[in-house]
Amino acid sequence: MEIVYVYLKKRSEFGKQCNFSDRQAELNIDIQPNPELAEQFVERNPVDTGIQCSTSMSEHEANTERFEMETRGVNHVEGGWPKDVNPLELEQTIRFRKKVEKDENYINAITQLGSIMEHCIKQNNAIDIYEEYFDDEDPVEVTEEAPSAKTINVFRDPQEIKRAATHLSWHPDGNRKLAVAYSCLDFQQAPVGMSFDSYIWDMENPNKPEIALRPSSPLVTLEYNPKDSHVLLGGCYNGQIACWDTRKGSLVAELSTIEFSHRDPVYGTIWLQSKTGTECFSASTDGQVMWWDIRKLSEPTEVLIMDISKKEMLENALGAISLEFESTLPTKFMVGTEQGVVISCNRKGKTPAEKIVCTFSGHHGPIYALQRNPFYPKNFLTVGDWTARIWSEDSRESSIMWTKYHMAYLTDGAWSPSRPAVFFTTKMDGTLDIWDFVFKQCDPALTLKVCDEALFCLRVQDNGCLIACGSRLGTTTLLEVSHGLATLQRNEKNIASSVFERETRREKILEARHREMRLKEKGKAEGKEEELREEETATDLEGLVTKAEEEFFEVIFSELKRKEKDAMKKKQKP
């Protein structure tokens, strides 16, 4: 059926403007439904439809104009001379120079440009950007495999109420066992019914701990004795020092009396290098470092207060949160504090000034890790806030190297015992960063997502192959790094030493420059103070002169009045 509707219009109205207006609707055609067609209708279910998800693209070709290149020579001659002066004639040039040097504009220009030129020369003397640091060194032996690590075992806290793994310690003989201290460090937020036990795990049996250590308070630190593998030293949350002998069982063998112990949790315990192998020392956030002998653990043999003002006042002491002791330097030890300051101490000092040698400031928060480089003890690593920093004992005002500021808080760090240029850091987002500053300095050589919760501590095995990481939920993950990260590379010691020396030298130059700037600013400030004093004295002199004049005239007037009175009295007498 064909539907046609014819519109009629006069020829004279063709091309005229259309004037539209509203009107009522009109029904032109009404088509009734055909029931025969409805009987032939068949429903399709399901219906398959093809859809193209990608965007429609078209290919175009463009032919750009060819860029033609041509080589030309340029002859450079000495310029800047006037036309009437021949630069090849020595007498003319000398005469012109003398004439210019007498001009006042020339002198002003030289004095203005002199300070800028001096600044540029000092910059060039500070750092030579074209210096080839490793010209004489052989190329570093780079292993074929890329840096990598794999998980070997996972040791989970067997208790139902989970606690954080706060400290790790490897067994000194063969590293077959791992001691893990468990505690809740949230102040007054320990859950009811939380276990105080810490455990010693066998590397081959992650299902069940080998020995359970049962202290009177949760352990914050736990350390194996390097001379006697059966003895362990623990620092408790209530400030006490505990000692275990695994041959005697799980109970504490020796315990310090609470009256002579720390007042805050013990965050650091280290065994000292001694003939008996029974001496140790501990540190706490109460601001005290205590020396102990485990044969007589009732009270400490010596106490040092971390007061950098050297007055030994406990209320001014900085809270100690990490310790470092190097056996090759038996009289020296270092303390990392809650305030972000590293304190270098000398145990043999007789006065407080001799015991606290110097301080290193650079972190914005607590220093959770502090360790000397095992190959170069003069350089040490600190971990705190969002960065890890490498320091030199020769440069006290600033660290010589540091990592970038991470998005997550750093919680622990350690040097590799087998490679001087490699260190490890853990973060609150559950990642482990492996740094190799010979390979790359701006970013870690390898970043691993160990677990979903925060990592609290890490400990590297003596051969550098195995790393243990403890998490917030008490899970200890054992990782094995690749051969390249654990094996000493060719000439790595020399390269690391040259890097440390170069960065130390650079920091010394910068320190000297900052010192000069501070002295200049101090001199300017003192000059301003003297000017103010002179102005004050000038104003004071004017005031004193006016005051003296007033007093002088008062004396004269009073004397004149007295003489007038005497004369009047004489006249009145007959």
Side-chain angles (χ1 to χ4, degrees):
M1 180 178 66
E2 185 178 359
I3 301 171
V4 179
Y5 185 79
V6 181
Y7 290 88
L8 299 175
K9 199 173 188 181
K10 292 181 180 180
R11 190 175 206 45
S12 61
E13 293 178 359
F14 283 3
K16 281 187 178 181
Q17 183 180 0
C18 296
N19 293 322
F20 297 100
S21 61
D22 294 333
R23 65 173 184 174
Q24 296 295 325
E26 295 178 6
L27 181 63
N28 293 325
I29 299 172
D30 184 12
I31 303 173
Q32 298 294 326
N34 190 353
E36 294 179 358
L37 294 175
E39 292 176 359
Q40 298 176 5
F41 179 81
V42 178
E43 184 181 1
R44 288 181 64 187
N45 188 15
V47 179
D48 296 329
T49 306
I51 299 173
Q52 182 69 16
C53 296
S54 61
T55 56
S56 300
M57 306 285 287
S58 61
E59 185 179 355
H60 296 277
E61 292 182 359
N63 188 18
T64 58
E65 293 183 6
R66 195 168 67 130
F67 184 74
E68 295 183 0
M69 297 182 67
E70 185 179 352
T71 304
R72 291 186 180 181
V74 179
N75 186 22
H76 291 276
V77 294
E78 185 178 351
W81 297 98
K83 291 181 180 179
D84 56 341
V85 176
N86 185 6
L88 301 177
E89 291 289 336
L90 187 62
E91 292 181 2
Q92 293 184 18
T93 55
I94 291 171
R95 197 182 304 117
F96 182 75
R97 281 198 184 99
K98 288 181 178 178
K99 180 182 175 183
V100 171
E101 286 171 1
K102 292 177 182 178
D103 191 4
E104 292 182 0
N105 294 330
Y106 171 78
I107 297 168
N108 294 331
I110 291 297
T111 52
Q112 288 176 2
L113 294 172
S115 59
I116 300 170
M117 195 65 189
E118 185 183 3
H119 175 68
C120 295
I121 291 168
K122 285 181 178 178
Q123 277 188 334
N124 287 340
N125 292 338
I127 297 173
D128 184 7
I129 61 174
Y130 300 108
E131 182 181 355
E132 292 290 341
Y133 295 112
F134 310 117
D135 236 2
D136 303 331
E137 303 291 339
D138 295 330
V140 181
E141 183 182 350
V142 181
T143 54
E144 294 181 2
E145 60 175 346
S148 61
K150 60 182 179 180
T151 302
I152 296 177
N153 251 331
V154 178
F155 307 95
R156 291 184 172 84
D157 184 7
Q159 298 294 329
E160 292 182 4
I161 300 174
K162 301 301 179 185
R163 308 152 298 163
T166 54
H167 201 82
L168 307 169
S169 180
W170 287 98
H171 193 278
D173 297 335
N175 299 315
R176 296 174 288 101
K177 300 175 185 178
L178 181 68
V180 184
Y182 297 91
S183 178
C184 177
L185 297 179
D186 297 330
F187 181 65
Q188 292 185 347
Q189 293 185 9
V192 180
M194 185 187 79
S195 174
F196 292 171
D197 293 356
S198 292
Y199 302 104
I200 298 174
W201 296 87
D202 190 337
M203 294 293 98
E204 303 298 329
N205 184 17
N207 299 320
K208 186 181 178 182
E210 185 179 85
I211 301 173
L213 305 176
R214 295 189 170 86
S216 57
S217 177
L219 289 180
V220 181
T221 63
L222 189 61
E223 287 287 347
Y224 268 108
N225 189 333
K227 288 195 172 183
D228 188 352
S229 59
H230 298 285
V231 178
L232 292 98
L233 179 71
C236 300
Y237 189 79
N238 65 352
Q240 288 181 292
I241 302 296
C243 183
W244 281 268
D245 189 337
T246 54
R247 293 166 293 192
K248 297 180 181 179
S250 300
L251 298 178
V252 178
E254 295 287 339
L255 185 66
S256 64
T257 53
I258 200 157
E259 294 86 0
F260 298 102
S261 302
H262 291 283
R263 302 178 185 180
D264 283 354
V266 181
Y267 285 99
T269 52
I270 291 182
W271 290 95
L272 290 171
Q273 195 79 12
S274 61
K275 294 180 180 179
T276 58
T278 58
E279 294 181 12
C280 59
F281 69 115
S282 62
S284 171
T285 49
D286 63 354
Q288 297 182 97
V289 175
M290 297 183 177
W291 281 262
W292 309 84
D293 191 329
I294 61 170
R295 295 172 298 182
K296 185 185 176 184
L297 204 58
S298 57
E299 59 182 86
T301 57
E302 189 180 345
V303 178
L304 176 61
I305 297 173
M306 293 289 102
D307 183 6
I308 57 176
S309 63
K310 300 176 182 178
K311 296 179 181 177
E312 288 197 326
M313 297 178 69
L314 192 58
E315 56 266 22
N316 298 334
L318 303 181
I321 206 166
S322 55
L323 276 176
E324 164 58 27
F325 173 75
E326 176 61 40
S327 57
T328 56
L329 306 169
T331 60
K332 290 185 177 181
F333 67 95
M334 304 183 83
V335 181
T337 64
E338 283 184 307
Q339 291 76 15
V341 179
V342 177
I343 303 174
S344 178
C345 305
N346 184 4
R347 189 187 173 188
K348 297 300 181 183
K350 296 179 180 178
T351 63
E354 292 176 356
K355 288 181 179 178
I356 296 178
V357 180
C358 61
T359 59
F360 303 85
S361 301
H363 285 283
H364 307 298
I367 296 174
Y368 292 111
L370 172 62
Q371 187 184 9
R372 291 184 185 271
N373 190 299
F375 294 86
Y376 304 101
K378 190 182 289 186
N379 302 100
F380 57 94
L381 171 74
T382 60
V383 172
D385 52 67
W386 299 270
T387 58
R389 294 176 178 269
I390 299 173
W391 304 74
S392 171
E393 286 186 343
D394 297 334
S395 177
R396 298 179 182 180
E397 293 187 13
S398 174
S399 53
I400 59 171
M401 298 172 70
W402 53 88
T403 65
K404 62 182 180 181
Y405 276 80
H406 298 274
M407 296 300 292
Y409 212 73
L410 269 65
T411 54
D412 204 355
W415 287 102
S416 169
S418 57
R419 289 191 57 187
V422 175
F423 64 92
F424 311 89
T425 58
T426 54
K427 294 187 289 187
M428 289 288 282
D429 59 359
T431 57
L432 169 71
D433 288 338
I434 303 175
W435 297 80
D436 183 356
F437 59 78
V438 169
F439 173 65
K440 188 163 47 173
Q441 293 187 6
C442 298
D443 297 304
L446 181 64
T447 299
L448 294 169
K449 181 71 173 177
V450 179
C451 56
D452 294 329
E453 65 267 16
L455 292 176
F456 269 19
C457 56
L458 84 109
R459 200 68 178 262
V460 189
Q461 198 184 29
D462 291 341
N463 57 12
C465 293
L466 299 179
I467 307 168
C469 302
S471 74
R472 189 169 179 269
L473 297 179
T475 303
T476 304
T477 307
L478 191 62
L479 302 164
E480 183 181 10
V481 298
S482 58
H483 181 73
L485 290 172
T487 307
L488 187 68
Q489 304 294 305
R490 185 153 50 95
N491 286 331
E492 185 179 355
K493 286 185 179 180
N494 296 332
I495 293 168
S497 175
S498 63
V499 169
F500 288 145
E501 289 175 3
R502 181 192 75 204
E503 296 299 325
T504 305
R505 192 164 55 249
R506 179 179 66 85
E507 283 300 322
K508 282 183 178 178
I509 293 169
L510 293 175
E511 283 176 16
R513 178 62 181 155
H514 286 308
R515 208 174 292 117
E516 288 177 9
M517 291 171 67
R518 284 197 296 269
L519 287 172
K520 285 182 181 178
E521 290 175 0
K522 189 178 179 182
K524 288 180 182 178
E526 287 176 355
K528 289 180 180 178
E529 287 178 2
E530 286 178 2
E531 288 177 3
L532 290 171
R533 285 174 189 167
E534 287 175 2
E535 290 177 2
E536 287 176 0
T537 51
T539 53
D540 291 338
L541 283 171
E542 291 177 2
L544 290 170
V545 168
T546 53
K547 190 177 180 181
E549 287 178 353
E550 289 174 359
E551 290 177 354
F552 174 72
F553 287 119
E554 282 179 5
V555 171
I556 290 173
F557 290 142
S558 61
E559 189 66 24
L560 288 172
K561 286 179 181 180
R562 188 180 63 78
K563 286 181 179 180
E564 286 178 2
K565 285 180 181 179
D566 292 341
M568 291 292 291
K569 285 179 182 178
K570 286 179 180 178
K571 286 179 181 180
Q572 288 175 2
K573 288 181 181 180

